[in-house]
Amino acid sequence: MTNTNSARVEFWFDPSCPWAWMTSRWVDEVAKHRDLDISWNIMSLAVLNEDKEDLSDFYKAFLPRAMRYTRLVASLAEIEGKHIVKPLYDALGTRIHPGGQRDVDEVIAGALAELGLDPALARYADSDEYDAQLRASHAEGISRVGQDVGTPVLAVNGVAFFGPVISPAPKGEQALSLWDGVVAAASYDGFFELKRSRTRDPQFD
């Protein structure tokens, strides 16, 4: 029988993605009740789509903004240490998603202030100084699942999937039931894909 009470978890996210945000809230909920050893890692929708030509005008405008957030997270992971990644994601994501803030500079300034970080660190959102590290983290996550997916990427005990894509993020027993299903799927080496069309938009708490 699969042990769902403890697991090694790796989570790749782009801070701008609402679906990754909700999956991360679900993982946080599960972590309250299960022994999860979680590492939080940056990936980039801008990097994922940089060679694609058939993007909508909306997405073309979105990706440069998204890149600023990913560059900030990747840079601060190097400057402050890997421990800053999750609290920075929380601070950014709370403003971007349930907060509905659209001004990137305001989001970044607010997140840095919340964490007590030097406001001058905001400059790394526009710096390519740590792009090699950003791309390495992105490549590590996407190599686990293939190029035809997005964010989030979730690995459980070394087995990675795109998703799960959920809305809203479940809580309590529902969160744990979903988790048990994902762990069970990850335990079978031959499991690859399970999907249905989305019928609702992201629903934030």
Side-chain angles (χ1 to χ4, degrees), residues 2-53:
T2 303
N3 178 16
T4 60
N5 290 320
S6 63
R8 177 171 53 88
V9 179
E10 300 159 276
F11 193 104
W12 281 268
F13 65 92
D14 183 310
S16 295
C17 178
W19 302 104
W21 176 254
M22 281 183 295
T23 305
S24 72
R25 300 310 93 183
W26 164 64
V27 170
D28 280 349
E29 176 73 8
V30 174
K32 297 175 184 177
H33 308 282
R34 300 290 171 83
D35 180 21
L36 305 185
D37 179 14
I38 310 173
S39 66
W40 298 90
N41 309 282
I42 195 68
M43 64 179 293
S44 171
L45 290 171
V47 172
L48 185 67
N49 291 281
E50 63 185 354
D51 295 325
K52 296 179 181 178
E53 298 179 356

